[in-house]
């Protein structure tokens, strides 16, 4: 048996109790897990201070000297502290312990040269160090310790149970003494030579016991590259296998519906980006392999028309198409938009949601099964077992990250031959993240807005400018435009002094009184029928102002609304601000987004406001968001903790990720089954990895 697979409790100095803690707290089950438990920072231990060089509140200080005196002091009720006087040739300081006094007192040695390490603080005119690490100088010089001292991630439970950073360090030393020569190389020679990578063994040693800053940097690069490289290798292989194995319906002809629409009914000229994406989709669907494509486009970039043209290709080839959206509002919006595009083409389009009446459902189910229904749009209702297709050729899924992987496969199973799949998202995902999350999908991007769209002007205003903002609203309403005002909360939260919706609604009603102005209100706690009624009043122009919470973030399309005011904008994340801003700018008039905040802003909030003012580009915004929040939060609940990486970081290491993906692509293009002799190592490691963990363990 491989020694690295030994259960962790057998390592000298661990034992059953510690082993149990390491399993529960850090997920360390075997020697191998401990080897891959990397430090999250390092302390420079090349410098030794003299007592007379100490300064207040510096952490990570080491001093060489002797303990010359030890005493126990009682204070308070039954409380004690242990105080040792520590001296070198320049002066004295105190070492203090409040816990484990009996055991520590027994272990301290008087008048022997030792090294103390910890944080020093000034009390009166004396320096003191509480709970320092202590090591005899002779031991200190002998140990595997390095100039850069590793600091490992930890938990409160571990610290309370006596497993300190130093304990983990000792375990690591023991592990390396036992396993030094067992680390086999995991990358082929041609890769390590071309990229000038140090060996796996050297990298692992120097990540835990770096001999210098330079060796540490080399070790980090080598291990990060390897981690990202194998993830990309798995993703790209998955894509290749799918293309070979999963057959799709080849849509060989571009028929009359498509041509009629393209020639006679296009509401506007397609942008270059839209044409490029339609072509990519046409090529995919013309093949025998199943299409699996992600369509990314910013708010308002015209994804719907691309989706519709893809559906026409399916219909022309004798197939049905469906579009699944995460909410009823969004499904209704798609239904209205697509019905409008299809009105002159003699195409049967229906919608199926939770609120569809029973008798209508029956008709829809029947016409789906007998093939007379061409396009169905719906919510999760499409996944019910009752819904059977005659021959589904294309499934389009909107706002992908709100649907799990299982739900997508449920749609596939409704056919003997799986339909082509097009996943649409209006939340731009930074390229780095997309390459890792959707590495098994082909990606298309619509990166320009349709002609005639004016970029939305965004400004940041403080609450003290409110009167000017209100005057601006009155002027816009006088021009016949409509206004959104969005609040972060519905009911007042005691902890937060943000204006909540009801308060805001009352004060706006006072400032914009009837009969000159009419106001709608919309929030998540309203009944669906009331929501629809309020939306209808606003869309018909019967009200000038819509006061709402973020329920309007997705799926509201009112071309006449030209101003979006976001109250307490500092409370919103960047992607949410960007989505909200996308509710305006849908007509031909100039539109505006006004971010209202208090004067008290954190650095992150300030960065968010500055980013929104500086750019309308969703991809740029997503990059900033990734830097601020990390990948976990960006993808919403289902995708949080997006990648369980051990050492790499998607934000900081994007260059390494791109490098790793390029190498993985090149290698698989040349040798997809990894059969060439020079790729033997790759194949073995790859099989080992896929046996132990599916790629989806990396990607939630």
């Amino acid at each position: 048996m491989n020694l690295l697979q030994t259960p962790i409790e057998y390592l000298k100095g661990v034992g059953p109790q510690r082993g149990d803690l390491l399993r529960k707290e850090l997920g360390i089950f075997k020697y191998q897990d401990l080897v891959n438990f990397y430090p999250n920072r390092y302390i420079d231990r090349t410098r030794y201070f003299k007592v007379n060089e100490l300064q207040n509140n510096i952490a990570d200080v080491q001093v060489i000297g002797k303990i010359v005196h030890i005493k126990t002091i009682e204070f308070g009720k039954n409380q004690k502290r242990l105080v040792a006087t520590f001296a070198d040739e320049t002066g004295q300081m105190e070492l203090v312990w409040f816990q484990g006094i009996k055991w520590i007192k027994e272990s301290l040695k008087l008048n022997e040269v030792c090294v103390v390490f910890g944080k020093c603080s000034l009390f009166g005119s004396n320096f003191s160090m509480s709970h320092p690490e202590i090591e005899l100088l002779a031991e200190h010089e002998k140990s595997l310790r390095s100039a850069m001292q590793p600091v490992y991630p930890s938990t409160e439970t571990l610290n309370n149970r006596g497993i300190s950073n130093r304990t983990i360090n000792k375990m690591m030393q023991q592990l390396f003494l036992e396993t030094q020569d067992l680390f086999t190389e995991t990358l082929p020679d041609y890769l390590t030579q071309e990229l000038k990578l140090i060996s796996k063994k050297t990298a692992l040693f120097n990540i835990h016991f770096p001999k210098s800053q330079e060796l540490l940097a080399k070790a980090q690069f080598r291990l990060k590259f390897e981690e990202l490289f194998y993830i990309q290798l798995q993703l790209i292989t998955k894509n290749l296998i799918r293309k070979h194995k999963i057959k799709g319906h080849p849509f060989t002809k571009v028929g009359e519906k498509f041509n009629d629409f393209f020639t006679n009914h296009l509401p506007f000229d397609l942008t270059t980006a839209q044409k490029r994406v339609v072509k990519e989709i046409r090529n995919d669907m013309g093949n025998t392999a199943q299409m699996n494509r992600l369509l990314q486009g910013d708010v308002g970039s015209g994804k719907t028309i691309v989706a519709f043209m893809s559906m026409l290709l399916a219909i022309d080839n004798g197939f049905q198409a469906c579009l699944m959206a995460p909410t009823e509002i969004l499904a209704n919006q798609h239904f209205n938009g697509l019905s409008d595009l299809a009105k002159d083409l003699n195409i049967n389009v229906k919608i199926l949601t939770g609120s569809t009446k029973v008798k209508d459902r029956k008709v829809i189910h029947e016409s789906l099964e007998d093939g007379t229904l061409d396009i169905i749009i719906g919510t999760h209702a499409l996944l019910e077992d009752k819904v059977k297709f005659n021959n589904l050729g294309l499934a389009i899924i909107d706002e992908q990250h709100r649907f799990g992987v299982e739900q997508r496969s449920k749609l596939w199973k409704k056919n003997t031959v799986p339909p082509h799949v097009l996943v649409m998202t209006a939340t731009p995902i930074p390229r780095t993240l997309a390459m890792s999350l959707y590495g098994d999908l082909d990606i298309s991007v619509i990166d320009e807005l349709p002609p005639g769209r004016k970029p939305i002007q965004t400004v940041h205003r403080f609450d003290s400018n409110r009167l000017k903002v209100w005057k601006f609203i009155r002027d816009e309403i006088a021009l016949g435009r409509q206004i959104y005002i969005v609040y972060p909360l519905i009911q007042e939260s005691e902890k937060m002094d943000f204006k909540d919706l009801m308060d805001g609604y009352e004060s706006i009603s006072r400032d914009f009184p009837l009969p000159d102005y009419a106001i709608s209100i919309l929030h998540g706690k309203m009944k669906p029928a009331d929501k629809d009624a309020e939306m209808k009043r606003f869309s018909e122009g019967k009200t000038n102002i819509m006061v709402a919470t973020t329920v309007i973030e997705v799926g509201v399309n009112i071309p006449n609304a030209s101003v979006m005011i976001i109250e307490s904008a500092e409370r919103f994340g960047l992607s949410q601000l960007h989505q909200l801003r996308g509710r305006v700018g849908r007509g031909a008039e100039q539109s505006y987004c006004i971010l209202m905040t208090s004067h008290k802003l954190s650095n992150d909030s300030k960065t968010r406001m500055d980013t929104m003012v500086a750019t309308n580009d969703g991809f740029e915004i997503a990059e900033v968001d990734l830097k601020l929040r990390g990948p976990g939060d960006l993808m919403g609940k289902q995708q949080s903790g997006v990648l369980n990486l051990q050492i790499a970081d998607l934000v900081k290491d994007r260059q390494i990720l791109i490098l790793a993906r390029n190498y993985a692509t090149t290698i698989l293009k040349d040798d997809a089954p990894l059969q060439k002799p020079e790729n033997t190592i790759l194949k073995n490691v790859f099989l080992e990895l896929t046996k132990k963990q599916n790629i989806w363990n990396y990607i939630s």
Side-chain angles (χ1 to χ4, degrees):
M1 172 178 147
N2 182 345
L3 186 59
L4 290 171
Q5 299 308 311
T6 311
I8 196 67
E9 57 266 34
Y10 293 110
L11 184 69
K12 191 178 165 191
V14 178
Q17 278 177 319
R18 278 183 169 176
D20 202 41
L21 274 173
L22 291 174
R23 273 194 294 276
K24 281 189 189 135
E25 295 294 308
L26 300 172
I28 294 174
F29 290 81
K30 301 174 178 163
Y31 283 18
Q32 181 80 58
D33 301 326
L34 186 58
V35 172
N36 295 335
F37 181 57
Y38 301 124
N40 52 8
R41 64 188 183 92
Y42 296 84
I43 295 161
D44 183 0
R45 293 200 53 173
T46 48
R47 175 159 186 203
Y48 296 93
F49 285 76
K50 299 283 183 210
V51 171
N52 67 355
E53 294 174 326
L54 296 175
Q55 289 165 1
N56 193 16
N57 277 337
I58 348 181
D60 312 332
V61 173
Q62 48 187 3
V63 190
I64 300 174
K66 294 176 181 176
I67 292 175
V68 292
H69 184 66
I70 302 170
K71 62 183 174 194
T72 307
I73 298 173
E74 296 197 10
F75 66 100
K77 230 185 186 168
N78 304 328
Q79 287 180 301
K80 291 178 179 174
R81 65 173 182 262
L82 179 66
V83 179
T85 307
F86 181 81
D88 70 3
E89 66 277 19
T90 68
Q92 291 186 341
M93 65 189 284
E94 287 188 335
L95 310 177
V96 188
W97 291 267
F98 298 93
Q99 279 142 5
I101 291 176
K102 184 171 169 290
W103 174 76
I104 288 165
K105 195 172 177 181
E106 286 167 11
S107 66
L108 293 180
K109 297 190 169 53
L110 277 171
N111 296 317
E112 290 208 30
V113 182
C114 57
V115 180
V116 296
F117 174 77
K119 180 179 176 177
C120 64
S121 309
L122 192 60
F123 287 102
S125 58
N126 288 330
F127 278 101
S128 88
M129 200 181 267
S130 58
H131 287 265
E133 287 183 20
I134 294 191
E135 213 173 5
L136 289 174
L137 185 61
E139 293 287 315
H140 178 80
E141 284 169 348
K142 226 170 44 196
S143 73
L144 254 184
R145 257 183 4 82
S146 59
M148 311 294 299
Q149 188 80 36
V151 179
Y152 293 93
S154 187
T155 67
E156 210 173 321
T157 309
L158 289 179
N159 288 330
N160 293 343
R161 302 285 290 276
I163 300 185
S164 63
N165 192 57
R166 186 166 173 220
T167 315
I168 290 180
N169 224 310
K170 282 204 156 141
M171 290 176 188
M172 209 58 90
Q173 292 186 30
Q174 183 59 37
L175 182 76
F176 272 79
L177 290 171
E178 289 186 28
T179 57
Q180 249 309 25
D181 293 318
L182 290 175
F183 304 121
T184 48
E185 188 47 71
T186 44
L187 290 173
D189 289 348
Y190 66 86
L191 260 188
T192 51
Q193 282 161 13
E194 204 170 315
L195 289 163
K196 300 189 171 57
L197 300 175
I198 58 177
S199 73
K200 177 76 175 237
K201 180 177 160 185
T202 314
L204 285 171
F205 188 83
N206 280 284
I207 203 86
H208 294 293
F209 311 104
K211 287 282 172 259
S212 67
Q213 196 72 50
E214 188 192 356
L215 269 167
L216 173 61
K218 284 183 172 172
Q220 286 171 324
F221 183 84
R222 149 81 212 217
L223 295 169
K224 285 174 177 182
F225 175 83
E226 181 181 335
E227 180 168 46
L228 294 168
F229 172 76
Y230 276 109
I231 290 176
Q232 293 303 326
L233 208 60
Q234 287 188 65
L235 281 167
I236 298 163
T237 303
K238 203 169 174 295
N239 195 2
L240 291 172
I241 289 172
R242 203 196 65 248
K243 284 180 177 167
H244 284 297
K245 265 197 185 159
I246 303 184
K247 296 293 175 232
H249 301 285
F251 295 170
T252 47
K253 67 176 183 191
V254 176
E256 67 177 285
K257 295 260 194 285
F258 186 94
N259 288 326
D260 179 22
F261 178 72
F262 189 76
T263 316
N264 307 317
H265 304 293
L266 259 185
F268 49 77
D269 289 339
L270 296 184
T271 61
T272 317
Q274 284 171 318
K275 285 179 187 162
R276 183 187 69 236
V277 170
V278 169
K279 199 170 170 189
E280 288 168 351
I281 292 170
R282 260 179 56 184
N283 286 343
D284 273 7
M285 299 203 299
N287 280 325
T288 49
Q290 179 208 22
M291 169 171 83
N292 217 10
R293 190 167 276 282
L294 174 71
L295 173 58
Q296 276 196 284
D298 214 336
V299 186
S301 60
K303 291 184 294 298
T304 310
I305 202 149
V306 169
F308 180 65
M309 291 172 81
S310 311
M311 289 171 157
L312 292 179
L313 283 170
I315 295 166
D316 276 340
N317 283 275
F319 289 92
Q320 295 164 301
C322 78
L323 190 155
M324 189 161 84
T327 64
E328 285 203 15
I329 287 186
L330 207 50
N332 278 309
Q333 189 192 319
H334 281 304
F335 176 65
N336 295 335
L338 293 173
S339 305
D340 196 35
L341 291 171
K343 65 179 184 291
D344 303 321
L345 295 172
N346 185 22
I347 286 176
N348 187 1
V349 184
K350 290 277 185 282
I351 183 168
L352 180 66
T353 67
S355 8
T356 307
K357 295 191 175 74
V358 176
K359 66 173 197 309
D360 296 339
R361 267 171 199 267
K362 203 164 171 295
V363 175
I364 289 172
H365 288 158
E366 282 167 7
S367 54
L368 265 182
E369 264 195 85
D370 66 22
T372 50
L373 182 51
D374 302 305
I375 295 177
I376 180 83
I377 290 148
T379 52
H380 291 79
L382 292 179
L383 298 173
E384 291 168 5
D385 294 337
K386 287 195 204 75
V387 178
K388 293 191 172 65
F389 291 86
N390 181 303
N391 53 352
L392 178 62
L394 171 67
I396 299 178
I397 299 171
D398 193 11
E399 286 294 347
Q400 194 273 341
H401 59 266
R402 303 186 186 196
F403 291 110
V405 177
E406 305 79 50
Q407 289 168 313
R408 271 194 276 167
S409 63
K410 224 173 165 178
L411 260 182
W412 293 4
K413 294 199 178 90
K414 291 183 177 286
N415 260 33
T416 41
V417 176
H420 294 295
V421 175
L422 183 67
V423 173
M424 296 200 298
T425 172
T427 313
I429 304 155
R431 184 150 176 262
T432 348
L433 201 53
M435 275 173 13
S436 302
L437 283 175
Y438 302 114
D440 67 318
L441 295 177
D442 299 307
I443 298 177
S444 288
V445 179
I446 303 182
D447 46 12
E448 58 181 313
L449 290 179
R453 280 278 171 104
K454 294 191 173 119
I456 301 163
Q457 284 185 15
T458 305
V459 292
H460 172 209
R461 295 286 179 262
F462 293 110
D463 291 335
S464 49
N465 307 107
R466 189 166 297 279
L467 289 174
K468 281 186 179 163
V469 173
W470 270 196
K471 178 185 182 308
F472 176 70
I473 294 179
R474 287 192 186 94
D475 295 345
E476 283 288 300
I477 292 174
L479 292 168
R481 317 260 189 275
Q482 288 167 289
I483 318 291
Y484 292 110
I485 302 178
V486 178
Y487 286 86
L489 294 170
I490 295 186
Q491 247 67 50
E492 195 156 329
S493 142
E494 294 153 282
K495 294 197 188 86
M496 298 185 175
D497 57 354
F498 293 107
K499 298 166 211 54
D500 75 303
L501 186 78
M502 299 334 260
D503 246 14
Y505 177 64
E506 281 165 26
S507 72
I508 290 163
S509 306
R510 283 195 300 272
D511 291 334
F512 296 87
L514 287 160
D516 300 340
Y517 302 97
I519 301 170
S520 286
I521 186 165
L522 193 67
H523 58 74
K525 292 191 177 171
M526 290 164 73
K527 293 194 174 83
D530 297 343
K531 273 189 202 169
D532 292 343
E534 284 293 283
M535 276 308 310
K536 196 161 183 270
R537 286 175 66 211
F538 190 63
S539 65
E540 288 169 358
K542 291 177 181 160
T543 57
N544 325 89
I545 298 174
M546 161 74 76
V547 177
T549 56
T550 51
V551 284
I552 65 156
E553 182 186 336
V554 176
V556 177
N557 190 5
I558 315 278
N560 191 44
S562 65
V563 183
M564 166 62 71
I565 292 176
I566 303 174
E567 292 285 356
S568 306
E570 68 269 34
R571 296 266 339 276
F572 294 93
L574 261 176
S575 62
Q576 220 179 2
L577 290 171
H578 182 60
Q579 286 288 341
L580 285 168
R581 169 167 66 185
R583 296 301 110 214
V584 295
R586 293 176 167 254
E589 305 304 330
Q590 177 61 58
S591 290
Y592 305 89
C593 174
I594 303 173
L595 308 168
M596 302 293 295
T597 70
S598 65
H599 276 280
K600 279 191 288 201
L601 289 182
S602 69
N603 286 343
D604 277 6
S605 300
K606 201 172 165 347
T607 305
R608 287 202 296 271
M609 299 309 124
D610 293 347
T611 306
M612 286 294 293
V613 171
T615 179
N616 276 304
D617 181 335
F619 288 93
E620 260 180 68
I621 287 167
E623 285 287 353
V624 177
D625 211 13
L626 183 62
K627 287 191 179 97
L628 289 177
R629 295 198 295 169
D633 302 336
L634 212 62
M635 299 306 300
K637 290 195 178 57
Q638 286 90 338
Q639 316 281 342
S640 67
V642 178
L643 288 173
N644 311 318
L645 297 173
Q646 285 174 315
I647 189 165
D649 173 318
L650 283 186
V651 183
K652 299 190 186 102
D653 302 321
R654 61 178 287 184
Q655 292 316 118
I656 306 179
L657 172 66
I658 291 166
L659 185 73
R661 184 163 177 95
N662 291 343
Y663 271 99
T665 310
T666 310
I667 290 167
L668 290 170
K669 256 189 188 151
D670 172 55
D671 179 22
L674 300 177
Q675 277 169 341
K676 292 189 172 177
E678 63 268 32
N679 288 329
T680 310
I681 286 185
L682 283 184
K683 188 167 191 170
N684 294 342
V685 176
F686 182 78
L687 290 173
E688 203 49 43
L689 277 175
T690 38
K691 204 162 59 191
K692 277 209 297 261
Q693 58 200 52
N694 190 327
I695 185 69
W696 301 114
N697 297 7
Y698 274 120
I699 298 171
S700 48

